[in-house]
Amino acid sequence: MCGIVGAVAERNISNILLEGLKRLEYRGYDSAGLTVIRDGELHRERQVGKVQELVNAVEKNPSFFEGKIGIAHTRWATHGEPAQCNAHPHVSGKVAVVHNGIVENYAPLKEELIAKGYVFTSQTDTEVVAHLIADAYKQTDNLLQAVQQITPLLHGAFALGVLHVDHPEQLITVRLGSPLVIGIGIGENFIASDQLALLPVTNRFMYLEEGDIAVLTKDDITVYADGEKVARDIKELDAEHHNADKGEFKHYMLKEIYEQPDAVARTVEMGINQQGFKADFLARNEAILAHIKHIQILACGTSYHAGMVAKYWFEDLTRLPCSVEIASEFRYRNPVVVDNTLMICISQSGETADTLSALRDIQRRSKAGEINGFASLALCNVATSSLVRETDIFLPTLAGVEIGVASTKAFTTQLAALMLLVLKIGRVQSRISDDVFNEMIVELHKLSGQLYSSLSLDQAIAELSEKFEARKSAIFLGRGVQFPIALEGALKLKEISYIHAEGYAAGELKHGPLALVDKDMPIVVLAPKDSMLDKLKANMQEVHARHGELFVFAGENTQIESDERLHVIQVPDVNEILAPIVYSVPMQLLSYHVAVLRGTDVDQPRNLAKSVTVE
Ligand code: G6P
């Protein structure tokens, strides 16, 4: 999704802006631009394609873009195709604007502005904002007041960065539904959609609240809420957040796949030691966890698949009813939420628009007295995110910064943290016996080692991936708790290799997808040694009999024999309940290697964004 960077300083800021944009590339975008104020004029450059195109254009005439105040942007097209005229910043006279999010009512506003004589040079909703500010400024000569006046006219969720040539000391920013953080330097201040963009220049950040408007000068930051000055906390980030380099790896995704044994171990150790729960793990939340009678999980994308696994776990281990739903469906269907529901929102970023909106809708209904005993929990990788701030309980995933658009270590740490939560609720409500609990403690401690072992399949999977390179489609099959992993395996493959892939519960095979099976259709099967194995073998026979080519990721002692059209990849032995965590790794490696062979942009697949901040 779009990325914003802005700076006001005593030094030239154009390289800070460009470096910031590079650090936001992971969010997904199709064009980039920047504007600085220099010698009483706006100097702007915009390019379709990668940030490097913008860097090249600026480097042709670097002194032209030397300025002490500027804003920059990576655009992910919503209104208007990826084109130079639609790239940000957008300008109206002396005003320049960068914008993340959507202005839903831009069409009537645009008509009014056209009637007033404003000329539009793009198809974007953003240009409306630039003209509105320029128009309001005519009456006030005060940039802050102009921004404050027009903000209530805009419907939707958005963040803005605003400059005016006559105020070369002022950078104004608005946060209303899209992420925006202020970076605090010494004699310089910054804005960005993600603090990652600003790590080369500061580790001190101020997090705005929804509706805040802030004025930054090089020495000051003044934040306004509803027109009144307000104070917002400043936080210093620790060194762990700085670890965002690829290191020896060719891609962030591969690095992040390899970080999983450590990331999962960190997440597990957050909750338990060899004896059981750590004393402080969710200790303050026990009263809430004790009274809940139903679990409602909401999430999008890969995080939704983690939620699907958790449903099997919650119902199997605690016997508490658990529903899981895609946030964008849930929020628009007038759902029933029973009393004493714990809503678990799973999100790597904590900024996904649909997940946040679904949560807010239900929180409103709870406040209105429609639902009793409602509580919300954020399972999230970003402690400073909107989701964490707006929920009752925060359960972190300790994956560290995840850059690759295709989520890997965030997913497996979500699963590890979800298992901790299942156990915690199960124990608080005396729904899990000592024996089962102790067994799970032992198995959770083995996970990191098993993940290391699964990484040793890398070479074998790289070789296997050649058989997928030229395919047009693939089917992924799993049963029980492996069904969501089949969905996740298919999602990974389509996201980064652009091969069409579908995941199915293997029992559904003969209800449709079997019609697709022929010698050209690869079928990936997740086959750990578990209670579903015999049923799964029968499904594999159905494929084999129709000359489909099977790629079976099989547990030890599953007695599945390789032949010409059946390739077995042996996965390390693992506890049946936790197997989805370990089996995720070969799925990730398969899609990674196929994508590399096909020469796609592994870390920034086309049309996708890491953090989806519009609905
Ligand atoms: C995007 C990302 C996915 C992610 C999904 C949900 O589609 O590309 O990797 O799973 O959003 O994001 P969240 O941050 O809420 O987990």
Side-chain angles (χ1 to χ4, degrees), residues 299-304 346-352 355 402 404-407 414 491-492 495 608-612:
C300 304
T302 290
S303 296
Y304 168 68
I346 308 175
S347 174
Q348 186 285 128
S349 63
E351 302 293 349
T352 301
T355 310
E402 189 180 69
V405 164
S407 186
Q414 282 168 353
L491 176 64
K492 283 278 121 359
E495 272 180 312
L608 299 182
K610 179 82 186 151
S611 183
V612 180

Side-chain angles (χ1 to χ4, degrees), residues 61-75:
N61 192 1
S63 57
F64 187 74
F65 296 100
E66 271 178 22
K68 293 177 180 172
I69 184 165
I71 47 178
H73 191 263
T74 46
R75 173 173 187 258

Side-chain angles (χ1 to χ4, degrees), residues 129 132-133 144-155 158 160 173-176 211-213:
V129 182
L132 279 175
I133 295 172
L144 172 64
Q145 276 177 18
V147 174
Q148 283 173 326
Q149 266 175 31
I150 68 104
T151 305
L153 306 179
L154 308 174
H155 301 169
F158 52 87
L160 300 172
T173 190
V174 180
R175 178 189 174 143
L176 221 172
D212 284 356
I213 298 182

Side-chain angles (χ1 to χ4, degrees), residues 16 69 83 111 144 167 220 325 363 419 436 478 482 512 525 546:
I16 297 173
I69 184 165
E111 274 176 33
L144 172 64
H167 300 274
D220 281 311
E325 192 161 340
Q363 282 176 328
M419 177 49 83
V436 171
Q482 294 290 350
V525 186
R546 286 156 185 89

